[in-house]
Amino acid sequence: VSRKLSRKQLLIAGGAAGAAAAVGGGIVHESRSGATPAQADASVQSPTVPFHGVYQAGILTPSQSDLRFASFDFIGSGKQDLHDLLRAWTTAAATLTAGQPLGTPNEDPAKPPTDTGEATGLAPARLTLTFGLGPTLFDKVGLSSRRPPQLTDIPHFPFDELDPSISGGDLCVQACADDPQVAFHAIRALTRIGFGVTALRWIQSGFTSAPVGNGTKRNLMGFKDGTANPSTSDAAMMKSNVWASAGDGQDWMANGSYLVSRKVEIRIEVWDTSAESEQEGVFGRHKRSGAPFGATSEFDTVHIEDIPARAHIRRANPRQGEVTERERILRRGYNFDEGLDAGFTESVAGLFFLAYQRDPRAQFVPIQSRLAAEDRLNEYIQHVSSAVWAILPGVERPDDYLGQTLFEA
Ligand code: HEM
């Protein structure tokens, strides 16, 4: 029996989800239009984040507590399969992010239920689903000429020890929610819809906790992480550094973005035996306050001469005027913890680094080249996976679908 889901089955899966959206998706339908930064901020207290918008959600959205990131191989037969998959995923994503189950009540009891059920009764938990395409996809579906020049493989850096089985992929979905079970359910649902057209390649889970009274979250090294991020409410900055624009090389990518994902393990046991002054010197910031050396508060201006030459923040951003301003990326990573290594001696934990940007060749790559060449942090970390993704433009209207501009270009 062929594992492959027929085109008709795909459409049925999408259609069933669509019916559910029509019944219960009021929240989504009322709050369309562009996910402006202001709206993204307004979603902090809201249980649902609008799926529809000029840009995809899950980028400017203040980070939810839980991540489930899936990379898929494309095993379908070409462009039409990809098109049908993205249509079906669009409908399902609108339904899931509205907190609705897939499928309709009173389904055929002789068949597996459309919705697997583990999110039934759970709050929508600000679920966002963000979809991207990998560089390897374009040749497979006969769309080589539409591959954006920004979507080129990330070069190998010194000390990278990348595991190919958890690197790369043809499609990705970033599921973020304030409930791990909601994120799990969403990835499971999308995986089932893609059955026969996509196969899971790897999955990464992650978590991040907001401090009391909000503020910058901390990574597993105990430092505030995200302090120097550009402000998501700075629309001009987002346009220049995060969103792809028509004229960047492939017009169909306008209002999309590029995502670099890197799994970075932290040598927790080694880190935990290092002195606090050493730890602070690694970053050039104070551990408790997050203040840069030479200052007292987290958001005080960084005076580069106060930061040790090999400290992480100075290598990442040497603050050389416009040059490094153009490199600024939007980091949105998650912590991970996978227990002990095979020898039961060391923790397998770290940071699943996710960074959105307009052009990895001009942003992530030069930053990481400097870090790989020299960064105090390197003594305590190991990069083990890498991938780059073209994050699709947002789905603006109810009848639109993910990747529409790619097919209709
Ligand atoms: C385990 C891995 C990593 C950890 C624990 C880590 C941690 C940190 C911390 C604590 C800061 C200072 C606070 C902040 O501004 O967010 C920071 C800043 C930064 N990191 Fe990392 N980082 C890691 C990997 C990376 C990688 C792979 C990149 C590659 C692009 C990167 C790029 C940056 C940038 C651009 C900044 C802001 C620098 C500034 O403008 O001051 N980091 N990181």
Side-chain angles (χ1 to χ4, degrees):
V1 185
S2 166
R3 272 186 72 214
K4 208 175 132 140
L5 198 64
S6 75
R7 207 158 285 147
K8 197 169 152 215
Q9 282 172 301
L10 261 180
L11 291 175
I12 290 167
V23 174
I27 308 159
V28 170
H29 288 257
E30 278 157 26
S31 46
R32 297 183 194 283
S33 78
T36 62
Q39 281 170 317
D41 286 344
S43 70
V44 179
Q45 302 305 331
S46 156
T48 60
V49 178
F51 170 73
H52 292 93
V54 175
Y55 310 115
Q56 285 198 73
I59 302 170
L60 304 189
T61 311
S63 51
Q64 301 91 326
S65 60
D66 294 278
L67 168 80
R68 203 155 165 88
F69 190 101
S71 165
F72 298 89
D73 287 325
F74 182 80
I75 55 169
S77 63
K79 190 171 138 180
Q80 190 64 43
D81 275 0
L82 177 67
H83 172 273
D84 295 350
L85 170 78
L86 291 174
R87 258 205 185 278
W89 273 1
T90 304
T91 315
T95 307
L96 292 164
T97 53
Q100 300 299 318
L102 298 182
T104 46
N106 308 317
E107 285 179 292
D108 184 349
K111 289 186 181 153
T114 304
D115 196 288
T116 48
E118 73 274 29
T120 305
L122 300 181
R126 294 198 301 135
L127 173 69
T128 55
L129 295 166
T130 313
F131 297 83
L133 311 179
T136 43
L137 176 70
F138 291 80
D139 287 349
K140 288 189 184 172
V141 296
L143 289 170
S144 312
S145 64
R146 304 256 163 97
R147 178 170 130 172
Q150 291 78 4
L151 190 67
T152 28
D153 283 333
I154 301 294
H156 177 89
F157 296 104
F159 311 115
D160 276 359
E161 267 182 39
L162 307 183
D163 176 350
S165 69
I166 51 167
S167 295
D170 296 322
L171 293 116
C172 78
V173 183
Q174 173 199 270
C176 296
D178 289 324
D179 179 335
Q181 192 150 319
V182 168
F184 177 95
H185 172 255
I187 293 295
R188 182 180 185 178
L190 296 170
T191 304
R192 290 179 87 223
I193 290 170
F195 194 65
V197 174
T198 50
L200 270 174
R201 181 178 170 87
W202 50 268
I203 289 185
Q204 181 65 52
S205 295
F207 58 90
T208 180
S209 297
V212 174
N214 250 316
T216 312
K217 297 171 174 181
R218 289 182 187 268
N219 59 37
L220 298 186
M221 292 175 129
F223 277 77
K224 294 186 178 187
D225 200 331
T227 305
N229 254 346
S231 165
T232 52
S233 49
D234 182 345
M237 180 68 173
M238 295 301 105
K239 260 205 167 349
S240 63
N241 285 47
V242 174
W243 304 125
S245 172
D248 280 1
Q250 288 284 356
D251 290 356
W252 71 265
M253 269 297 291
N255 302 323
S257 185
Y258 297 89
L259 169 65
V260 174
S261 62
R262 307 274 292 185
K263 183 176 188 179
V264 186
E265 291 181 359
I266 297 171
R267 299 190 177 110
I268 299 269
E269 287 78 6
V270 181
W271 179 252
D272 287 350
T273 59
S274 63
E276 183 152 311
S277 56
E278 154 73 9
Q279 297 188 356
E280 295 187 329
V282 162
F283 291 105
R285 285 188 179 270
H286 294 291
K287 194 165 186 178
R288 269 157 235 274
S289 65
F293 280 11
T296 49
S297 302
E298 181 185 358
F299 295 104
D300 286 351
T301 306
V302 173
H303 294 288
I304 205 71
E305 62 281 3
D306 292 332
I307 311 296
R310 296 170 57 230
H312 182 66
I313 69 163
R314 182 162 178 173
R315 297 296 297 165
N317 183 356
R319 292 172 170 76
Q320 288 166 340
E322 262 182 42
V323 181
T324 33
E325 202 56 19
R326 272 202 299 274
E327 286 179 0
R328 291 182 69 196
I329 50 180
L330 184 63
R331 288 169 290 134
R332 202 178 182 282
Y334 280 80
N335 304 317
F336 67 85
D337 163 32
E338 292 162 7
L340 291 177
D341 66 1
F344 298 104
T345 51
E346 283 176 0
S347 301
V348 180
L351 178 73
F352 187 60
F353 172 94
L354 292 168
Y356 287 91
Q357 56 213 284
R358 184 172 172 182
D359 186 352
R361 298 169 306 172
Q363 295 175 269
F364 176 80
V365 172
I367 299 172
Q368 183 56 26
S369 302
R370 282 194 303 271
L371 294 179
E374 200 171 43
D375 175 7
R376 291 281 320 277
L377 184 57
N378 291 346
E379 295 165 36
Y380 301 101
I381 61 171
Q382 180 65 62
H383 288 239
V384 297
S385 97
S386 178
V388 59
W389 310 98
I391 298 299
L392 296 167
V395 177
E396 280 187 65
R397 287 171 296 270
D399 294 336
D400 293 349
Y401 60 95
L402 288 158
Q404 187 164 353
T405 51
L406 167 65
F407 296 103
E408 295 175 6

